[in-house]
Amino acid sequence: MVVGGQRGWDMGGEGEEESTVILKPPKKASILSRMIVLMFAMVCGVYVCVVCLKQIGTQSKINIEDIQLLKGPTSDPDPVQLKFPGDHYPSPKTFNRSECEHNPVRYFAILSMQRSGSGWFETLLNSHVNVSSNGEIFSVLDRRGNSSSIQEVLDKVYNLDWFTSASKNECSAAVGFKWMLNQGVMAHHKDVVDYFNRRNVSVIFLFRRNLLRRMVSVLANSYDRYAKLLNGTHKSHVHSDDEAKTLSKYKPTINSTLLVDDLKKVEMMAARAVEYFNSTRHMVLYYEDLVKNRTKLQDVQQFLRLPKMELTSRQVKIHKGPLSEFVENWEDVNTTLNGTEYESFLQSDY
Ligand SMILES: *[C@@H]1O[C@H](CO)[C@@H](O)[C@H](O)[C@H]1NC(C)=O
Ligand SMILES: *[C@@H]1O[C@H](CO)[C@@H](O)[C@H](O)[C@H]1NC(C)=O
Ligand SMILES: *[C@@H]1O[C@H](CO)[C@@H](O)[C@H](O)[C@H]1NC(C)=O
Ligand SMILES: *[C@@H]1O[C@H](CO)[C@@H](O)[C@H](O)[C@H]1NC(C)=O
Ligand SMILES: *[C@@H]1O[C@H](CO)[C@@H](O)[C@H](O)[C@H]1NC(C)=O
Ligand SMILES: *[C@@H]1O[C@H](CO)[C@@H](O)[C@H](O)[C@H]1NC(C)=O
Ligand SMILES: *[C@@H]1O[C@H](CO)[C@@H](O)[C@H](O)[C@H]1NC(C)=O
Ligand SMILES: *[C@@H]1O[C@H](CO)[C@@H](O)[C@H](O)[C@H]1NC(C)=O
Ligand SMILES: *[C@@H]1O[C@H](CO)[C@@H](O)[C@H](O)[C@H]1NC(C)=O
Ligand SMILES: *[C@@H]1O[C@H](CO)[C@@H](O)[C@H](O)[C@H]1NC(C)=O
């Protein structure tokens, strides 16, 4: 920044020198005009500095060193935000809301990453008689190619005209879907935030704190995509202990050279997402907290202003117990993370 100001002054000086040669003005005037040019250059320098800082500021305020998102405690949802979920009375093109047409509908989106428990979380939500969470609808490339195709899909979902096995049709009191951050959310974040704010869509962030366990799950799941360990079929989620045991037999090898960088990238993406969507009505949930404390589900129901219900899921966790049993080169990973900020990932059980 200082360099910018300095250079401005130097160039101003040179220009002045030339013009004095040509015009030959009195010496006094020359000193005065030099002073003016100096002032001008300094003002310019300061202005350039401010503009630069502003641009850096709008890009991201997040420092890799001080991300606390995944490490910090759960912060309770902002009580002011809790108050106004926005009441909607959609009139779907394809059916009549009949008996429930006077019940308000809340719009939501679950923003998450692959293998962070969002599948499980969604089955819990959908066990509510009034919730339609329509799955990972933007996994289809065509639907997220540009902002307008994204908007078209969103319109359809929130107008209750999107049908999946999860749709509760007439009596939905909350409608939404889960959306992975790498499926167009980050790429089109400005337009998506505008849309969410315009239509009062509430955001539920769901993150996994232990990114090492997440990584193991990602690697194992992408292996199974080809290996199809369950009688020749690939399953991302299972409903029995036997199936879980079969899937967890595969032990991935983790590239320890890239490990810390990879974990950092994922953490950064989560932090950036929360920053981008800061202006929307939102809450942040952690998979580990949900596993430990089911009353967190009541916070979600309160956030969406739903009639309270006991939520259930038949899904079974695939990798249970210490992570060391599920990684081929565990010692290598242990040594790599020893003494880093991610050391705690080695121990925890979720
Ligand atoms: C969004 O919510 C605010 C506050 O409840 C309300 O004033 C506004 O009309 C709502 N907008 C829409 C499109 O529902
Ligand atoms: C929906 O119901 C209302 C009255 O309850 C009726 O007037 C309207 O024609 C119905 N619309 C459709 C598409 O069935
Ligand atoms: C957006 O994508 C859709 C389908 O992928 C395409 O039909 C449409 O022309 C695209 N619109 C713009 C503005 O690029
Ligand atoms: C929830 O669904 C039930 C059964 O379909 C319905 O009777 C009830 O009115 C719904 N509640 C809300 C708030 O929409
Ligand atoms: C796979 O096949 C075995 C026996 O052949 C059967 O017991 C088991 O239930 C099957 N599992 C699945 C996931 O279909
Ligand atoms: C890890 O990744 C780096 C960079 O892609 C690669 O050079 C290296 O060979 C990999 N190590 C192993 C053990 O696969
Ligand atoms: C979100 O905005 C609020 C107030 O505008 C600010 O206090 C908070 O630090 C912001 N959070 C993030 C993650 O940017
Ligand atoms: C469980 O979650 C609820 C709601 O967020 C909270 O009030 C309670 O303190 C939590 N209990 C434990 C043991 O963490
Ligand atoms: C972890 O680091 C400490 C010192 O930083 C060292 O004494 C210890 O042997 C290391 N453990 C492993 C498993 O590398
Ligand atoms: C990591 O390695 C050290 C030294 O071998 C061992 O004491 C520690 O239990 C290991 N940590 C885990 C989580 O396996």
Side-chain angles (χ1 to χ4, degrees):
M1 298 307 148
V2 174
V3 172
Q6 199 69 48
R7 191 175 299 142
W9 155 233
D10 285 344
M11 279 153 63
E14 280 164 30
E16 181 59 19
E17 204 75 70
E18 275 172 37
S19 68
T20 48
V21 171
I22 295 162
L23 294 170
K24 290 191 197 319
K27 198 107 195 155
K28 234 185 183 172
S30 164
I31 287 167
L32 185 68
S33 60
R34 270 170 188 249
M35 288 301 289
I36 289 168
V37 169
L38 171 61
M39 293 295 287
F40 180 72
M42 280 172 69
V43 168
C44 278
V46 167
Y47 177 75
V48 167
C49 260
V50 167
V51 168
C52 278
L53 284 175
K54 251 192 190 154
Q55 273 170 357
I56 291 164
T58 51
Q59 235 168 26
S60 180
K61 293 180 207 83
I62 295 173
N63 265 324
I64 191 74
E65 290 79 20
D66 55 32
I67 298 176
Q68 284 304 313
L69 181 67
L70 300 180
K71 297 176 195 106
T74 313
S75 55
D76 290 325
D78 183 351
V80 178
Q81 289 215 338
L82 276 180
K83 276 185 190 148
F84 309 109
D87 289 347
H88 303 279
Y89 300 89
S91 15
K93 292 194 181 100
T94 36
F95 65 93
N96 212 320
R97 289 190 69 214
S98 50
E99 61 168 306
C100 285
E101 74 183 333
H102 299 299
N103 294 349
V105 178
R106 276 75 198 233
Y107 299 164
F108 70 89
I110 305 161
L111 300 193
S112 188
M113 296 193 232
Q114 283 83 359
R115 314 311 295 175
S116 300
S118 64
W120 170 67
F121 178 62
E122 212 183 25
T123 58
L124 285 166
L125 275 185
N126 276 322
S127 74
H128 194 293
V129 67
N130 302 111
V131 178
S132 307
S133 190
N134 289 301
E136 219 169 291
I137 57 184
F138 285 109
S139 63
V140 179
L141 215 59
D142 266 2
R143 296 176 189 158
R144 59 173 204 255
N146 55 49
S147 284
S148 45
S149 52
I150 288 175
Q151 214 167 94
E152 237 169 75
V153 170
L154 292 177
D155 281 345
K156 220 168 174 181
V157 169
Y158 295 127
N159 205 36
L160 298 177
D161 282 321
W162 192 275
F163 298 104
T164 64
S165 56
S167 312
K168 307 292 192 302
N169 301 340
E170 290 86 355
C171 289
S172 290
V175 61
F177 63 99
K178 67 173 168 135
W179 200 352
M180 299 300 123
L181 295 184
N182 63 356
Q183 294 173 347
V185 179
M186 301 303 271
H188 300 281
H189 66 91
K190 277 209 180 100
D191 292 331
V192 175
V193 167
D194 280 351
Y195 185 97
F196 282 7
N197 281 333
R198 183 156 42 83
R199 301 208 62 192
N200 286 342
V201 178
S202 302
V203 172
I204 302 170
F205 286 105
L206 178 62
F207 294 127
R208 193 164 181 163
R209 290 182 195 269
N210 192 329
L211 298 178
L212 183 61
R213 289 196 83 99
R214 177 183 173 271
M215 184 183 273
V216 168
S217 183
V218 168
L219 292 170
N221 185 52
S222 68
Y223 170 79
D224 187 59
R225 203 176 292 279
Y226 300 103
K228 301 187 167 62
L229 296 173
L230 294 172
N231 291 356
T233 59
H234 166 56
K235 285 193 180 177
S236 294
H237 304 288
V238 298
H239 295 111
S240 77
D241 284 330
D242 280 349
E243 288 178 325
K245 216 177 263 168
T246 306
L247 285 190
S248 66
K249 268 186 202 142
Y250 167 70
K251 293 184 176 192
T253 304
I254 291 175
N255 186 332
S256 56
T257 319
L258 304 174
L259 180 55
V260 169
D261 268 359
D262 284 348
L263 294 174
K264 216 157 245 178
K265 263 184 218 149
V266 175
E267 192 176 20
M268 197 75 184
M269 198 206 278
R272 209 161 260 156
V274 174
E275 190 192 23
Y276 288 160
F277 284 78
N278 197 5
S279 65
T280 64
R281 181 176 183 269
H282 65 271
M283 72 183 290
V284 181
L285 277 179
Y286 299 97
Y287 168 74
E288 284 85 348
D289 298 357
L290 272 178
V291 170
K292 275 185 274 192
N293 185 353
R294 290 294 180 93
T295 52
K296 289 269 171 258
L297 289 171
Q298 292 183 11
D299 294 354
V300 177
Q301 296 183 60
Q302 193 194 346
F303 182 65
L304 296 175
R305 289 284 167 99
L306 289 165
K308 285 235 169 86
M309 268 188 72
E310 190 67 41
L311 305 181
T312 57
S313 170
R314 288 172 48 239
Q315 271 191 24
V316 172
K317 191 167 163 49
I318 294 172
H319 295 98
K320 276 175 279 208
L323 201 48
S324 55
E325 290 170 19
F326 304 116
V327 178
E328 191 63 47
N329 56 335
W330 179 252
E331 272 179 37
D332 198 10
V333 170
N334 187 350
T335 322
T336 306
L337 293 188
N338 184 28
T340 71
E341 61 197 297
Y342 300 121
E343 194 172 359
S344 63
F345 290 173
L346 296 164
Q347 270 119 35
S348 60
D349 261 356
Y350 294 100

